[in-house]
Every structure is written in structure tokens, then in C-alpha cells.
Amino acid sequence: MKFFTKEVKIALTAILGIVVLFYGLQFLKGLTIFSNDDSYYVTFTDVSGLSSSSPVYANGYKVGVVKDIIYDYSPQGKIVAVMGLDKNMRVPQGTRAEIASDLLGNIKVNLVLGSDPLHMLASGDTISGGAEEGMMSKLGAMMPAIEAIMPKLDSIMTSLNILLADPALRNTLHNVEGMTGNLNATSQELRALSASLNRDVPGMMTKANGVLDNTQQLTQNLSQIDVAAMTASVNKTLENVEQMTKKLNSNEGTLGLLMRDATLYNNLSSTAASADSLLIDLKAHPKRYVHFSVFGKSDKQK
């Protein structure tokens, strides 16, 4: 009688399928099939979201997985997670395990390694655990303050809506738009003025330099003038004028007599009048004063 009958083959195939399925599931969970990892225990007070096969990271690198989670029914009510870490992993004393989650909600365990490089934990030792103080935890701590702000925020939004509905604000915005247009026009004019100044100022500076050169030449010429000699000449001229003025005011000289002697003035006036009468009579009766004859005879004067 044969041992490997058809029924035995079917049974062996079923057992082999069950074994492959079991280890396949373990592999899909992230657990090694033939594991020789070191086991460490971590105590938590809350393992929300943590499950078997959750990854364990150290400094951002995966070093193991969570093998099992055990609830301690003793009065302390602790929860113990069994971690399987790579045998090459050295865990310093003072290391802390923190439950963290990413933005997609995936739960993991981060090992915050201790600072003691000489003393290491052995396989089977217990590590203290807790929740990571991440963004979500900080946001949860801020919720009471946010809830207290919400009524004030609602009041602010109501006031803001009232303010936005005020026609005066729209008019102010229109005025601001007009002011902005004026500022743009003024800015363009300033740019044009600046361009004009940049174009004209060099020529003006050249002319100014020419004027300065002329001023310096004039100053140099003035510095070469003999001021003392010119002052002496002016003083001498003033003395001569003063002497002439004194002679005019005195009875000396013709001009002085004319200016101060009334009799001489009257005689000169009378002589001038007589000369004027003579000239008038000469023009009227020239024959009385001039006698001319071609034949040498003289007619009697009528």
C-alpha cells in the first residue's frame, strides 16, 4: 500500500499553503520570516493608532518593527509594546521611544537615542515611551485658546462686514485710486524732469565753470590794481575840485565875479541886448553900414 496516496498529497499541499500564507502575511506586515532580531520592551500609557508591524525608526532610518502589543492588567494599567530591532543596533541608556504620525496618518515609533555612548541596553530591557510632541499635539494644546478667540473673531468679522458695506469706504477707495493716478502722473513728470536735468546740467555746469574762471580772472586783475596810487590820484583830484570851488565862491577870477558881482552881470546883459539890437538893425538896413559901388561913386544915403 502506498503512503503518498491522493488524499495525503492533498493534505500536505493544504498544510504547505497554510504555512506559506502565514509567513506571507508576516512578510507583508513587515516582519521578518526567520527573525533573529533583538527584542526590547517599551511601556506606554496610550498607544492610540499603534499596532503590530508598525515601523521603528532611529534618526529617520528604519531599524525594526513592533512585534506585539500587550496590555498590562495590573493596577498601573501600562501598555507594553514589543519591538524587534536589528542585532547591529546599539541602544544607549537613556533612550526614549515616541509614538509619532505623519501627515498621511501613518503611525510609527521614533527612538530618541540617549547621549551615553558607553552604557548600552541589552536585549529584553525596557525603554520608557510616550507620545511625540509634534505639530498635532501642539495644535491640540492650542485648541482652548482658539476656542476662546472664536467669539472675538466673529465680532471682528461682523464689524468688518459693516465697515465694508459703508459707502464712505467705497468713496475713499475711489479717492485713493485718483490719488494713485495723480501720483503716477507726478512720477512720470519727475522722471521727465530728471531726464531733462541730466541732459542740461552738464552744459550749465560748463557755463558755471566759465563764469567761475572769469570771476577768478577778474579777481586776479583787481588784485593787481595799485589801490594806494589810485586813492592818492582821487584825493588829488578832489583837492583840485575843492580849490576850484573855493575860487568860484570868491571874488577872484572872471567866473567868480560873474557868479558874485551883480553889476557885471547886468552890464553883460545890457551889452548882449545892444548887440542883439545892432544885429537886427544890420539885417534890416544893411546899406546904412556897408557902402559899395562899381563905379566908385557914392549915393547919398536916404
Side-chain angles (χ1 to χ4, degrees):
M1 182 178 179
K2 294 182 179 180
F3 177 76
F4 292 101
T5 61
K6 185 177 181 180
E7 290 78 7
V8 173
K9 292 179 180 180
I10 293 173
L12 292 175
T13 302
I15 294 171
L16 181 61
I18 293 173
V19 172
V20 171
L21 178 63
F22 173 77
Y23 284 105
L25 291 175
Q26 295 292 100
F27 177 78
L28 292 176
K29 289 181 180 180
L31 300 176
T32 56
I33 298 176
F34 303 102
S35 175
N36 57 355
D37 295 340
D38 292 334
S39 297
Y40 294 86
Y41 299 91
V42 184
T43 58
F44 294 101
T45 57
D46 187 0
V47 291
S48 299
L50 187 65
S51 62
S52 299
S53 74
S54 293
V56 180
Y57 290 88
N59 297 328
Y61 183 80
K62 183 179 178 181
V63 294
V65 294
V66 176
K67 291 183 175 182
D68 194 7
I69 298 176
I70 304 170
Y71 186 81
D72 186 3
Y73 290 95
S74 62
Q76 289 80 8
K78 296 290 184 181
I79 302 173
V80 179
V82 182
M83 297 188 309
L85 302 182
D86 191 287
K87 281 187 173 294
N88 296 321
M89 181 66 188
R90 297 291 180 265
V91 182
Q93 291 185 1
T95 298
R96 174 179 171 81
E98 295 181 349
I99 299 175
S101 62
D102 55 20
L103 295 177
L104 298 178
N106 298 319
I107 305 299
K108 61 182 179 179
V109 177
N110 285 329
L111 292 179
V112 181
L113 301 178
S115 57
D116 189 355
L118 299 178
H119 302 86
M120 301 293 171
L121 296 176
S123 178
D125 288 344
T126 301
I127 302 173
S128 62
E132 182 184 35
E133 293 294 330
M135 184 181 298
M136 298 302 296
S137 300
K138 294 179 181 179
L139 183 61
M142 293 173 59
M143 286 304 297
I146 295 175
E147 291 176 354
I149 292 175
M150 288 303 295
K152 297 180 181 180
L153 184 61
D154 184 60
S155 176
I156 292 173
M157 292 300 297
T158 302
S159 301
L160 184 60
N161 290 330
I162 295 173
L163 180 62
L164 293 176
D166 192 353
L169 181 61
R170 290 195 295 271
N171 295 332
T172 302
L173 293 176
H174 288 305
N175 294 332
V176 169
E177 184 178 1
M179 292 172 63
T180 303
N182 294 332
L183 288 175
N184 290 332
T186 303
S187 178
Q188 294 178 357
E189 293 177 357
L190 287 175
R191 285 197 295 269
L193 178 60
S194 177
S196 177
L197 289 175
N198 291 332
R199 184 178 61 255
D200 297 338
V201 164
M204 295 173 61
M205 292 301 296
T206 303
K207 295 180 180 179
N209 291 331
V211 173
L212 289 176
D213 292 339
N214 294 333
T215 303
Q216 292 176 355
Q217 184 65 33
L218 177 61
T219 304
Q220 185 178 0
N221 294 335
L222 290 175
S223 63
Q224 294 176 356
I225 296 176
D226 191 353
V227 179
M230 185 174 64
T231 304
S233 178
V234 171
N235 291 333
K236 186 175 181 180
T237 303
L238 291 175
E239 289 177 359
N240 294 332
V241 172
E242 184 178 1
Q243 291 178 3
M244 184 178 67
T245 304
K246 288 180 180 180
K247 290 182 179 181
L248 289 175
N249 291 329
S250 66
N251 294 328
E252 298 178 0
T254 303
L255 291 176
L257 291 175
L258 286 174
M259 292 178 63
R260 304 183 64 84
D261 192 349
T263 303
L264 180 59
Y265 173 75
N266 293 329
N267 291 335
L268 289 174
S269 297
S270 178
T271 302
S274 298
D276 184 59
S277 299
L278 179 60
L279 290 174
I280 293 172
D281 186 62
L282 179 61
K283 291 179 179 180
H285 307 285
K287 294 182 179 181
R288 293 180 180 177
Y289 304 94
V290 179
H291 180 70
F292 178 75
S293 176
V294 177
F295 302 100
K297 292 182 180 180
S298 61
D299 293 335
K300 291 184 180 179
Q301 202 174 25
K302 294 181 180 181

